[in-house]
Amino acid sequence: MNAKSKKEYFLPLILTFIVILTDQLTKWLVVRSIAPWSVGFTFWGDFLRIVCVYNTGAAFSLGSGLSSIMRFIVMACIPTVFIGAICVVYFRSDFTHVQRWFLSAVIGGGISNLLDRFFRVEGVVDFIDVKFYGLFGLERWPTFNIADSAIVVGAAGLFIIIIMQEYYTKKKQKNTSDIEPHEE
């Protein structure tokens, strides 16, 4: 592996550490300054609120009603295996430099939420609460954190890039098959 390819592999991992550090620091500040299950700060009326809540489930609190053993398996063990698989894919695939940045965001968010699952008895700290104006029947979007945002943005970006690449590859193949060689 030459210096350029090493840089393309390892530079995006900086984002992984930035996501983990930023997420854990903001969670620490929230837990330290806002009482659990209360609103600490509001911005733009009540559009954005900084709150302190704990989520023992997954996204939208799914699985929070499971027994503690099942919750540990579903919310900690399976995601650990999944993040490990993403790391293997990260190093063994032909992803582009941009795709690696998106994967790094997903890895960082996943690891940071796992840190909460393993080291916070209360669950994952969520603190960003946004008004949703009744869309999809929700007055407020389910509370989330920086790690959740990194996972969503990373996965969405990766999905868009892969779809775009597939589209342009098919378009290029179609254009080259439309060109027929001329006989002389």
PDB file of all heavy atoms in Angstrom, residues 37-70:
ATOM      1  N   TRP A  37     -34.905  13.817  32.149  1.00  0.00           N
ATOM      2  CA  TRP A  37     -36.291  13.952  31.715  1.00  0.00           C
ATOM      3  C   TRP A  37     -36.814  15.378  31.840  1.00  0.00           C
ATOM      4  O   TRP A  37     -37.984  15.600  32.141  1.00  0.00           O
ATOM      5  CB  TRP A  37     -37.191  12.941  32.456  1.00  0.00           C
ATOM      6  CG  TRP A  37     -36.658  11.562  32.326  1.00  0.00           C
ATOM      7  CD1 TRP A  37     -35.999  10.845  33.275  1.00  0.00           C
ATOM      8  CD2 TRP A  37     -36.670  10.738  31.163  1.00  0.00           C
ATOM      9  NE1 TRP A  37     -35.604   9.622  32.779  1.00  0.00           N
ATOM     10  CE2 TRP A  37     -36.007   9.531  31.462  1.00  0.00           C
ATOM     11  CE3 TRP A  37     -37.174  10.905  29.871  1.00  0.00           C
ATOM     12  CZ2 TRP A  37     -35.843   8.500  30.562  1.00  0.00           C
ATOM     13  CZ3 TRP A  37     -37.005   9.869  28.965  1.00  0.00           C
ATOM     14  CH2 TRP A  37     -36.351   8.690  29.317  1.00  0.00           C
ATOM     15  N   SER A  38     -35.906  16.348  31.623  1.00  0.00           N
ATOM     16  CA  SER A  38     -36.348  17.739  31.659  1.00  0.00           C
ATOM     17  C   SER A  38     -35.721  18.530  30.519  1.00  0.00           C
ATOM     18  O   SER A  38     -34.775  18.084  29.878  1.00  0.00           O
ATOM     19  CB  SER A  38     -35.991  18.383  33.007  1.00  0.00           C
ATOM     20  OG  SER A  38     -34.589  18.471  33.151  1.00  0.00           O
ATOM     21  N   VAL A  39     -36.276  19.714  30.277  1.00  0.00           N
ATOM     22  CA  VAL A  39     -35.795  20.608  29.227  1.00  0.00           C
ATOM     23  C   VAL A  39     -34.780  21.552  29.849  1.00  0.00           C
ATOM     24  O   VAL A  39     -35.057  22.198  30.859  1.00  0.00           O
ATOM     25  CB  VAL A  39     -36.967  21.406  28.603  1.00  0.00           C
ATOM     26  CG1 VAL A  39     -36.450  22.389  27.564  1.00  0.00           C
ATOM     27  CG2 VAL A  39     -37.995  20.457  28.007  1.00  0.00           C
ATOM     28  N   GLY A  40     -33.618  21.641  29.225  1.00  0.00           N
ATOM     29  CA  GLY A  40     -32.577  22.530  29.727  1.00  0.00           C
ATOM     30  C   GLY A  40     -32.549  23.869  29.021  1.00  0.00           C
ATOM     31  O   GLY A  40     -32.423  24.918  29.642  1.00  0.00           O
ATOM     32  N   PHE A  41     -32.686  23.833  27.701  1.00  0.00           N
ATOM     33  CA  PHE A  41     -32.599  25.052  26.898  1.00  0.00           C
ATOM     34  C   PHE A  41     -33.599  24.970  25.752  1.00  0.00           C
ATOM     35  O   PHE A  41     -33.859  23.879  25.239  1.00  0.00           O
ATOM     36  CB  PHE A  41     -31.186  25.223  26.320  1.00  0.00           C
ATOM     37  CG  PHE A  41     -30.098  25.185  27.356  1.00  0.00           C
ATOM     38  CD1 PHE A  41     -29.417  24.003  27.615  1.00  0.00           C
ATOM     39  CD2 PHE A  41     -29.768  26.321  28.067  1.00  0.00           C
ATOM     40  CE1 PHE A  41     -28.418  23.949  28.577  1.00  0.00           C
ATOM     41  CE2 PHE A  41     -28.770  26.290  29.031  1.00  0.00           C
ATOM     42  CZ  PHE A  41     -28.091  25.100  29.292  1.00  0.00           C
ATOM     43  N   THR A  42     -34.114  26.119  25.341  1.00  0.00           N
ATOM     44  CA  THR A  42     -34.987  26.168  24.168  1.00  0.00           C
ATOM     45  C   THR A  42     -34.473  27.248  23.227  1.00  0.00           C
ATOM     46  O   THR A  42     -33.916  28.259  23.664  1.00  0.00           O
ATOM     47  CB  THR A  42     -36.457  26.471  24.535  1.00  0.00           C
ATOM     48  OG1 THR A  42     -36.504  27.729  25.222  1.00  0.00           O
ATOM     49  CG2 THR A  42     -37.045  25.394  25.410  1.00  0.00           C
ATOM     50  N   PHE A  43     -34.666  27.026  21.946  1.00  0.00           N
ATOM     51  CA  PHE A  43     -34.229  27.968  20.918  1.00  0.00           C
ATOM     52  C   PHE A  43     -35.348  28.152  19.904  1.00  0.00           C
ATOM     53  O   PHE A  43     -36.052  27.193  19.576  1.00  0.00           O
ATOM     54  CB  PHE A  43     -32.975  27.449  20.207  1.00  0.00           C
ATOM     55  CG  PHE A  43     -31.813  27.205  21.138  1.00  0.00           C
ATOM     56  CD1 PHE A  43     -31.597  25.941  21.671  1.00  0.00           C
ATOM     57  CD2 PHE A  43     -30.963  28.239  21.505  1.00  0.00           C
ATOM     58  CE1 PHE A  43     -30.536  25.704  22.535  1.00  0.00           C
ATOM     59  CE2 PHE A  43     -29.911  28.020  22.365  1.00  0.00           C
ATOM     60  CZ  PHE A  43     -29.694  26.741  22.881  1.00  0.00           C
ATOM     61  N   TRP A  44     -35.486  29.369  19.411  1.00  0.00           N
ATOM     62  CA  TRP A  44     -36.492  29.699  18.397  1.00  0.00           C
ATOM     63  C   TRP A  44     -37.882  29.265  18.857  1.00  0.00           C
ATOM     64  O   TRP A  44     -38.549  28.447  18.200  1.00  0.00           O
ATOM     65  CB  TRP A  44     -36.150  29.101  17.034  1.00  0.00           C
ATOM     66  CG  TRP A  44     -34.784  29.476  16.578  1.00  0.00           C
ATOM     67  CD1 TRP A  44     -34.368  30.708  16.179  1.00  0.00           C
ATOM     68  CD2 TRP A  44     -33.647  28.627  16.506  1.00  0.00           C
ATOM     69  NE1 TRP A  44     -33.039  30.681  15.871  1.00  0.00           N
ATOM     70  CE2 TRP A  44     -32.568  29.402  16.056  1.00  0.00           C
ATOM     71  CE3 TRP A  44     -33.428  27.283  16.775  1.00  0.00           C
ATOM     72  CZ2 TRP A  44     -31.297  28.897  15.871  1.00  0.00           C
ATOM     73  CZ3 TRP A  44     -32.167  26.775  16.597  1.00  0.00           C
ATOM     74  CH2 TRP A  44     -31.124  27.578  16.141  1.00  0.00           C
ATOM     75  N   GLY A  45     -38.282  29.847  19.965  1.00  0.00           N
ATOM     76  CA  GLY A  45     -39.544  29.433  20.569  1.00  0.00           C
ATOM     77  C   GLY A  45     -39.326  28.059  21.171  1.00  0.00           C
ATOM     78  O   GLY A  45     -38.434  27.866  21.978  1.00  0.00           O
ATOM     79  N   ASP A  46     -40.114  27.093  20.746  1.00  0.00           N
ATOM     80  CA  ASP A  46     -39.867  25.724  21.213  1.00  0.00           C
ATOM     81  C   ASP A  46     -39.489  24.810  20.045  1.00  0.00           C
ATOM     82  O   ASP A  46     -39.609  23.603  20.133  1.00  0.00           O
ATOM     83  CB  ASP A  46     -41.072  25.178  21.975  1.00  0.00           C
ATOM     84  CG  ASP A  46     -42.256  24.866  21.079  1.00  0.00           C
ATOM     85  OD1 ASP A  46     -42.336  25.447  19.977  1.00  0.00           O
ATOM     86  OD2 ASP A  46     -43.092  24.039  21.469  1.00  0.00           O
ATOM     87  N   PHE A  47     -38.990  25.415  18.938  1.00  0.00           N
ATOM     88  CA  PHE A  47     -38.592  24.615  17.776  1.00  0.00           C
ATOM     89  C   PHE A  47     -37.495  23.620  18.134  1.00  0.00           C
ATOM     90  O   PHE A  47     -37.552  22.445  17.798  1.00  0.00           O
ATOM     91  CB  PHE A  47     -38.140  25.503  16.610  1.00  0.00           C
ATOM     92  CG  PHE A  47     -37.602  24.715  15.455  1.00  0.00           C
ATOM     93  CD1 PHE A  47     -38.463  24.003  14.633  1.00  0.00           C
ATOM     94  CD2 PHE A  47     -36.244  24.652  15.195  1.00  0.00           C
ATOM     95  CE1 PHE A  47     -37.976  23.242  13.577  1.00  0.00           C
ATOM     96  CE2 PHE A  47     -35.744  23.896  14.143  1.00  0.00           C
ATOM     97  CZ  PHE A  47     -36.614  23.196  13.340  1.00  0.00           C
ATOM     98  N   LEU A  48     -36.454  24.089  18.827  1.00  0.00           N
ATOM     99  CA  LEU A  48     -35.333  23.230  19.217  1.00  0.00           C
ATOM    100  C   LEU A  48     -35.188  23.296  20.727  1.00  0.00           C
ATOM    101  O   LEU A  48     -35.112  24.377  21.305  1.00  0.00           O
ATOM    102  CB  LEU A  48     -34.038  23.697  18.542  1.00  0.00           C
ATOM    103  CG  LEU A  48     -32.752  23.007  18.984  1.00  0.00           C
ATOM    104  CD1 LEU A  48     -32.761  21.535  18.591  1.00  0.00           C
ATOM    105  CD2 LEU A  48     -31.536  23.699  18.391  1.00  0.00           C
ATOM    106  N   ARG A  49     -35.172  22.123  21.334  1.00  0.00           N
ATOM    107  CA  ARG A  49     -34.966  22.047  22.781  1.00  0.00           C
ATOM    108  C   ARG A  49     -33.792  21.111  23.061  1.00  0.00           C
ATOM    109  O   ARG A  49     -33.614  20.107  22.375  1.00  0.00           O
ATOM    110  CB  ARG A  49     -36.212  21.509  23.490  1.00  0.00           C
ATOM    111  CG  ARG A  49     -37.427  22.354  23.271  1.00  0.00           C
ATOM    112  CD  ARG A  49     -38.631  21.933  24.084  1.00  0.00           C
ATOM    113  NE  ARG A  49     -38.949  20.514  23.992  1.00  0.00           N
ATOM    114  CZ  ARG A  49     -40.092  19.987  24.409  1.00  0.00           C
ATOM    115  NH1 ARG A  49     -41.015  20.749  24.954  1.00  0.00           N
ATOM    116  NH2 ARG A  49     -40.308  18.701  24.293  1.00  0.00           N
ATOM    117  N   ILE A  50     -33.001  21.485  24.057  1.00  0.00           N
ATOM    118  CA  ILE A  50     -31.939  20.609  24.540  1.00  0.00           C
ATOM    119  C   ILE A  50     -32.467  20.009  25.836  1.00  0.00           C
ATOM    120  O   ILE A  50     -32.771  20.722  26.794  1.00  0.00           O
ATOM    121  CB  ILE A  50     -30.612  21.368  24.768  1.00  0.00           C
ATOM    122  CG1 ILE A  50     -30.176  22.100  23.500  1.00  0.00           C
ATOM    123  CG2 ILE A  50     -29.526  20.407  25.261  1.00  0.00           C
ATOM    124  CD1 ILE A  50     -29.944  21.212  22.288  1.00  0.00           C
ATOM    125  N   VAL A  51     -32.630  18.691  25.830  1.00  0.00           N
ATOM    126  CA  VAL A  51     -33.229  17.970  26.944  1.00  0.00           C
ATOM    127  C   VAL A  51     -32.264  16.888  27.405  1.00  0.00           C
ATOM    128  O   VAL A  51     -31.234  16.650  26.773  1.00  0.00           O
ATOM    129  CB  VAL A  51     -34.584  17.341  26.520  1.00  0.00           C
ATOM    130  CG1 VAL A  51     -35.559  18.412  26.052  1.00  0.00           C
ATOM    131  CG2 VAL A  51     -34.392  16.296  25.433  1.00  0.00           C
ATOM    132  N   CYS A  52     -32.622  16.213  28.466  1.00  0.00           N
ATOM    133  CA  CYS A  52     -31.824  15.068  28.914  1.00  0.00           C
ATOM    134  C   CYS A  52     -32.769  13.889  29.096  1.00  0.00           C
ATOM    135  O   CYS A  52     -33.580  13.869  30.026  1.00  0.00           O
ATOM    136  CB  CYS A  52     -31.116  15.388  30.226  1.00  0.00           C
ATOM    137  SG  CYS A  52     -30.116  14.003  30.840  1.00  0.00           S
ATOM    138  N   VAL A  53     -32.689  12.950  28.158  1.00  0.00           N
ATOM    139  CA  VAL A  53     -33.487  11.731  28.259  1.00  0.00           C
ATOM    140  C   VAL A  53     -32.572  10.531  28.021  1.00  0.00           C
ATOM    141  O   VAL A  53     -31.501  10.659  27.431  1.00  0.00           O
ATOM    142  CB  VAL A  53     -34.672  11.713  27.258  1.00  0.00           C
ATOM    143  CG1 VAL A  53     -35.629  12.863  27.531  1.00  0.00           C
ATOM    144  CG2 VAL A  53     -34.190  11.759  25.824  1.00  0.00           C
ATOM    145  N   TYR A  54     -33.021   9.378  28.475  1.00  0.00           N
ATOM    146  CA  TYR A  54     -32.254   8.150  28.304  1.00  0.00           C
ATOM    147  C   TYR A  54     -33.077   7.182  27.466  1.00  0.00           C
ATOM    148  O   TYR A  54     -34.267   7.016  27.689  1.00  0.00           O
ATOM    149  CB  TYR A  54     -31.917   7.522  29.654  1.00  0.00           C
ATOM    150  CG  TYR A  54     -31.011   8.394  30.476  1.00  0.00           C
ATOM    151  CD1 TYR A  54     -31.521   9.244  31.445  1.00  0.00           C
ATOM    152  CD2 TYR A  54     -29.642   8.376  30.266  1.00  0.00           C
ATOM    153  CE1 TYR A  54     -30.692  10.057  32.189  1.00  0.00           C
ATOM    154  CE2 TYR A  54     -28.801   9.184  31.007  1.00  0.00           C
ATOM    155  CZ  TYR A  54     -29.330  10.030  31.964  1.00  0.00           C
ATOM    156  OH  TYR A  54     -28.502  10.832  32.696  1.00  0.00           O
ATOM    157  N   ASN A  55     -32.432   6.547  26.520  1.00  0.00           N
ATOM    158  CA  ASN A  55     -33.098   5.614  25.623  1.00  0.00           C
ATOM    159  C   ASN A  55     -32.499   4.231  25.820  1.00  0.00           C
ATOM    160  O   ASN A  55     -31.328   4.015  25.536  1.00  0.00           O
ATOM    161  CB  ASN A  55     -32.931   6.074  24.176  1.00  0.00           C
ATOM    162  CG  ASN A  55     -33.651   5.204  23.186  1.00  0.00           C
ATOM    163  OD1 ASN A  55     -34.271   4.211  23.532  1.00  0.00           O
ATOM    164  ND2 ASN A  55     -33.552   5.574  21.924  1.00  0.00           N
ATOM    165  N   THR A  56     -33.308   3.305  26.318  1.00  0.00           N
ATOM    166  CA  THR A  56     -32.820   1.936  26.502  1.00  0.00           C
ATOM    167  C   THR A  56     -33.098   1.085  25.267  1.00  0.00           C
ATOM    168  O   THR A  56     -32.662  -0.051  25.187  1.00  0.00           O
ATOM    169  CB  THR A  56     -33.475   1.272  27.735  1.00  0.00           C
ATOM    170  OG1 THR A  56     -34.891   1.314  27.575  1.00  0.00           O
ATOM    171  CG2 THR A  56     -33.069   1.983  29.011  1.00  0.00           C
ATOM    172  N   GLY A  57     -33.822   1.659  24.307  1.00  0.00           N
ATOM    173  CA  GLY A  57     -34.141   0.935  23.080  1.00  0.00           C
ATOM    174  C   GLY A  57     -33.250   1.394  21.943  1.00  0.00           C
ATOM    175  O   GLY A  57     -32.192   1.982  22.139  1.00  0.00           O
ATOM    176  N   ALA A  58     -33.725   1.126  20.731  1.00  0.00           N
ATOM    177  CA  ALA A  58     -33.016   1.568  19.528  1.00  0.00           C
ATOM    178  C   ALA A  58     -33.699   2.836  19.038  1.00  0.00           C
ATOM    179  O   ALA A  58     -34.345   3.542  19.808  1.00  0.00           O
ATOM    180  CB  ALA A  58     -33.068   0.459  18.479  1.00  0.00           C
ATOM    181  N   ALA A  59     -33.603   3.119  17.746  1.00  0.00           N
ATOM    182  CA  ALA A  59     -34.244   4.289  17.171  1.00  0.00           C
ATOM    183  C   ALA A  59     -35.728   4.300  17.530  1.00  0.00           C
ATOM    184  O   ALA A  59     -36.389   3.258  17.497  1.00  0.00           O
ATOM    185  CB  ALA A  59     -34.065   4.289  15.653  1.00  0.00           C
ATOM    186  N   PHE A  60     -36.236   5.470  17.877  1.00  0.00           N
ATOM    187  CA  PHE A  60     -37.645   5.647  18.262  1.00  0.00           C
ATOM    188  C   PHE A  60     -38.003   4.810  19.487  1.00  0.00           C
ATOM    189  O   PHE A  60     -39.143   4.444  19.684  1.00  0.00           O
ATOM    190  CB  PHE A  60     -38.592   5.310  17.101  1.00  0.00           C
ATOM    191  CG  PHE A  60     -38.290   6.058  15.839  1.00  0.00           C
ATOM    192  CD1 PHE A  60     -37.720   5.398  14.766  1.00  0.00           C
ATOM    193  CD2 PHE A  60     -38.557   7.410  15.735  1.00  0.00           C
ATOM    194  CE1 PHE A  60     -37.421   6.082  13.594  1.00  0.00           C
ATOM    195  CE2 PHE A  60     -38.257   8.103  14.568  1.00  0.00           C
ATOM    196  CZ  PHE A  60     -37.693   7.444  13.500  1.00  0.00           C
ATOM    197  N   SER A  61     -37.004   4.462  20.298  1.00  0.00           N
ATOM    198  CA  SER A  61     -37.176   3.655  21.519  1.00  0.00           C
ATOM    199  C   SER A  61     -37.674   2.241  21.247  1.00  0.00           C
ATOM    200  O   SER A  61     -38.194   1.572  22.136  1.00  0.00           O
ATOM    201  CB  SER A  61     -38.116   4.361  22.515  1.00  0.00           C
ATOM    202  OG  SER A  61     -37.527   5.556  22.957  1.00  0.00           O
ATOM    203  N   LEU A  62     -37.515   1.772  20.014  1.00  0.00           N
ATOM    204  CA  LEU A  62     -37.917   0.399  19.696  1.00  0.00           C
ATOM    205  C   LEU A  62     -37.113  -0.579  20.541  1.00  0.00           C
ATOM    206  O   LEU A  62     -35.895  -0.451  20.652  1.00  0.00           O
ATOM    207  CB  LEU A  62     -37.705   0.103  18.214  1.00  0.00           C
ATOM    208  CG  LEU A  62     -38.563   0.892  17.238  1.00  0.00           C
ATOM    209  CD1 LEU A  62     -38.129   0.620  15.805  1.00  0.00           C
ATOM    210  CD2 LEU A  62     -40.031   0.546  17.424  1.00  0.00           C
ATOM    211  N   GLY A  63     -37.763  -1.532  21.116  1.00  0.00           N
ATOM    212  CA  GLY A  63     -37.091  -2.552  21.906  1.00  0.00           C
ATOM    213  C   GLY A  63     -36.893  -2.187  23.362  1.00  0.00           C
ATOM    214  O   GLY A  63     -36.344  -2.976  24.124  1.00  0.00           O
ATOM    215  N   SER A  64     -37.336  -1.011  23.784  1.00  0.00           N
ATOM    216  CA  SER A  64     -37.113  -0.616  25.177  1.00  0.00           C
ATOM    217  C   SER A  64     -37.906  -1.481  26.152  1.00  0.00           C
ATOM    218  O   SER A  64     -37.571  -1.554  27.318  1.00  0.00           O
ATOM    219  CB  SER A  64     -37.443   0.859  25.380  1.00  0.00           C
ATOM    220  OG  SER A  64     -38.784   1.123  25.039  1.00  0.00           O
ATOM    221  N   GLY A  65     -38.935  -2.181  25.666  1.00  0.00           N
ATOM    222  CA  GLY A  65     -39.725  -3.043  26.530  1.00  0.00           C
ATOM    223  C   GLY A  65     -39.189  -4.461  26.654  1.00  0.00           C
ATOM    224  O   GLY A  65     -39.763  -5.283  27.360  1.00  0.00           O
ATOM    225  N   LEU A  66     -38.090  -4.757  25.985  1.00  0.00           N
ATOM    226  CA  LEU A  66     -37.512  -6.105  26.064  1.00  0.00           C
ATOM    227  C   LEU A  66     -36.910  -6.358  27.449  1.00  0.00           C
ATOM    228  O   LEU A  66     -36.545  -5.419  28.157  1.00  0.00           O
ATOM    229  CB  LEU A  66     -36.413  -6.272  25.010  1.00  0.00           C
ATOM    230  CG  LEU A  66     -36.827  -6.212  23.549  1.00  0.00           C
ATOM    231  CD1 LEU A  66     -35.591  -6.195  22.656  1.00  0.00           C
ATOM    232  CD2 LEU A  66     -37.720  -7.392  23.199  1.00  0.00           C
ATOM    233  N   SER A  67     -36.749  -7.617  27.798  1.00  0.00           N
ATOM    234  CA  SER A  67     -36.068  -7.951  29.055  1.00  0.00           C
ATOM    235  C   SER A  67     -34.629  -7.449  28.969  1.00  0.00           C
ATOM    236  O   SER A  67     -34.094  -7.247  27.877  1.00  0.00           O
ATOM    237  CB  SER A  67     -36.098  -9.460  29.289  1.00  0.00           C
ATOM    238  OG  SER A  67     -35.248 -10.110  28.357  1.00  0.00           O
ATOM    239  N   SER A  68     -33.987  -7.290  30.118  1.00  0.00           N
ATOM    240  CA  SER A  68     -32.628  -6.729  30.111  1.00  0.00           C
ATOM    241  C   SER A  68     -31.648  -7.602  29.328  1.00  0.00           C
ATOM    242  O   SER A  68     -30.765  -7.087  28.638  1.00  0.00           O
ATOM    243  CB  SER A  68     -32.130  -6.486  31.536  1.00  0.00           C
ATOM    244  OG  SER A  68     -32.128  -7.694  32.259  1.00  0.00           O
ATOM    245  N   ILE A  69     -31.787  -8.920  29.399  1.00  0.00           N
ATOM    246  CA  ILE A  69     -30.897  -9.826  28.650  1.00  0.00           C
ATOM    247  C   ILE A  69     -31.116  -9.672  27.146  1.00  0.00           C
ATOM    248  O   ILE A  69     -30.165  -9.523  26.377  1.00  0.00           O
ATOM    249  CB  ILE A  69     -31.132 -11.305  29.057  1.00  0.00           C
ATOM    250  CG1 ILE A  69     -30.828 -11.519  30.531  1.00  0.00           C
ATOM    251  CG2 ILE A  69     -30.329 -12.255  28.181  1.00  0.00           C
ATOM    252  CD1 ILE A  69     -29.379 -11.454  30.888  1.00  0.00           C
ATOM    253  N   MET A  70     -32.384  -9.702  26.730  1.00  0.00           N
ATOM    254  CA  MET A  70     -32.691  -9.553  25.297  1.00  0.00           C
ATOM    255  C   MET A  70     -32.272  -8.174  24.790  1.00  0.00           C
ATOM    256  O   MET A  70     -31.762  -8.038  23.691  1.00  0.00           O
ATOM    257  CB  MET A  70     -34.184  -9.773  25.033  1.00  0.00           C
ATOM    258  CG  MET A  70     -34.588 -11.230  24.998  1.00  0.00           C
ATOM    259  SD  MET A  70     -33.641 -12.193  23.794  1.00  0.00           S
ATOM    260  CE  MET A  70     -34.185 -11.466  22.264  1.00  0.00           C
TER     261      MET A  70
END
